[in-house]
Amino acid sequence: MATAFVTPDPLAATLSRASAALARPKAAQAGREDIAMIKAAASLTRDLHAARPIVYWTDLIASAGLGYAGMAVAIVATPVWAKLLGAVVAVLALYRALSFIHELSHMKPNAVRGFTAGVEHSVRCAGDDAVADV
């Protein structure tokens, strides 16, 4: 039985290596271009992400106030439709207030002055009451 030895074609191997080498710089260049575009977009929109304390405080206080008012309506109201409306308002407004608190985790520590301390104080006070009752 005769075995045939196949010798690799040197021209095909060279062409394969050359095409792979040409493809690599294009991919690297595309990656650099993507990074440059992301940096440019970030610099153009940086002022849109600036935290303004008046917005956070006003929205938190208004959302929490509306949420607790809706909860009071849901508890006190007599008609079922008023109870349901109050409950829906309470859930949506308190969810909005909590989402603002969550946004603090994405910011620099002192981006909204006093906001973190106010939230931590209110949570700590509520936690102390809960522990004292036990």
Side-chain angles (χ1 to χ4, degrees):
M1 185 174 204
T3 357
F5 291 100
V6 178
T7 57
D9 184 10
L11 181 61
T14 304
L15 287 175
S16 173
R17 282 193 306 272
S19 65
L22 288 174
R24 273 192 299 259
K26 289 179 185 176
Q29 182 180 3
R32 285 191 297 268
E33 288 174 359
D34 289 344
I35 291 171
M37 285 178 58
I38 290 170
K39 286 182 179 180
S43 68
L44 288 173
T45 59
R46 192 165 317 241
D47 63 329
L48 299 176
H49 298 292
R52 292 180 297 188
I54 191 72
V55 172
Y56 277 85
W57 277 109
T58 304
D59 203 301
L60 176 68
I61 292 168
S63 296
L66 184 63
Y68 288 124
M71 189 183 308
V73 168
I75 293 169
V76 174
T78 305
V80 174
W81 64 267
K83 286 184 175 287
L84 290 175
L85 182 64
V88 168
V89 167
V91 167
L92 293 176
L94 291 174
Y95 178 78
R96 181 172 175 84
L98 286 174
S99 69
F100 265 86
I101 293 170
H102 167 77
E103 287 304 312
L104 290 175
S105 65
H106 301 292
M107 290 187 208
K108 293 179 182 175
N110 289 325
V112 180
R113 216 169 266 263
F115 198 83
T116 307
V119 171
E120 284 179 1
H121 177 70
S122 64
V123 170
R124 189 175 300 124
C125 289
D128 292 344
D129 292 343
V131 172
D133 290 341
V134 174

